[in-house]
Amino acid sequence: MMLIPCMACESRFRPDEYFRACHDYNRGRDMVAWTCPRCGNQDELRVLPGELGFGYPRRGRFDVSDRVRVPGLQRRRQDLRLDISLDEKVWRVPTGRRGLVGAR
């Protein structure tokens, strides 16, 4: 079974629990905000085909510094959200107020 780690506390989560904790898609920087259900740490990440990219916003873009492989992971950008899919499950991460600034 695939378990995805929190980069802060190293707790591991099943994909459903992990992706339900994604809460803000910044379309302009193509990044998702995620808050760990265990420690409360907030990470910013990029959902890529087959992996998650962790990093930091820098100079108006998002630089990926660490990657976690998630075989079968897919993404689809919508106007006001990012759809994340794995196997038959789809999670929708809405564009938040901050995400609209960079998307104009």
Side-chain angles (χ1 to χ4, degrees):
M1 174 190 315
M2 165 51 96
L3 295 175
I4 305 169
C6 169
M7 300 304 251
C9 71
E10 298 184 13
S11 293
R12 297 189 173 274
F13 302 94
R14 289 189 299 268
D16 188 54
E17 187 177 11
Y18 190 91
F19 293 120
R20 278 188 287 123
C22 292
H23 53 81
D24 183 26
Y25 176 56
N26 183 318
R27 188 171 166 78
R29 290 189 174 160
D30 192 24
M31 69 181 197
V32 171
W34 177 82
T35 301
C36 177
R38 301 246 168 75
C39 73
N41 179 64
Q42 183 171 314
D43 265 330
E44 295 170 327
L45 58 108
R46 180 171 285 160
V47 177
L48 302 163
E51 64 185 14
L52 297 174
F54 295 88
Y56 303 92
R58 194 172 87 186
R59 297 188 190 135
R61 49 175 276 186
F62 186 78
D63 288 340
V64 172
S65 56
D66 294 307
R67 296 171 187 267
V68 173
R69 293 200 28 79
V70 182
L73 185 66
Q74 296 294 317
R75 56 175 266 140
R76 183 174 176 150
R77 286 172 55 139
Q78 305 290 341
D79 285 341
L80 296 175
R81 70 176 193 257
L82 178 70
D83 292 347
I84 301 168
S85 61
L86 181 64
D87 301 323
E88 301 296 317
K89 185 80 174 159
V90 177
W91 299 271
R92 290 183 168 88
V93 183
T95 299
R97 180 168 268 134
R98 290 186 336 220
L100 292 174
V101 174
R104 291 183 189 171

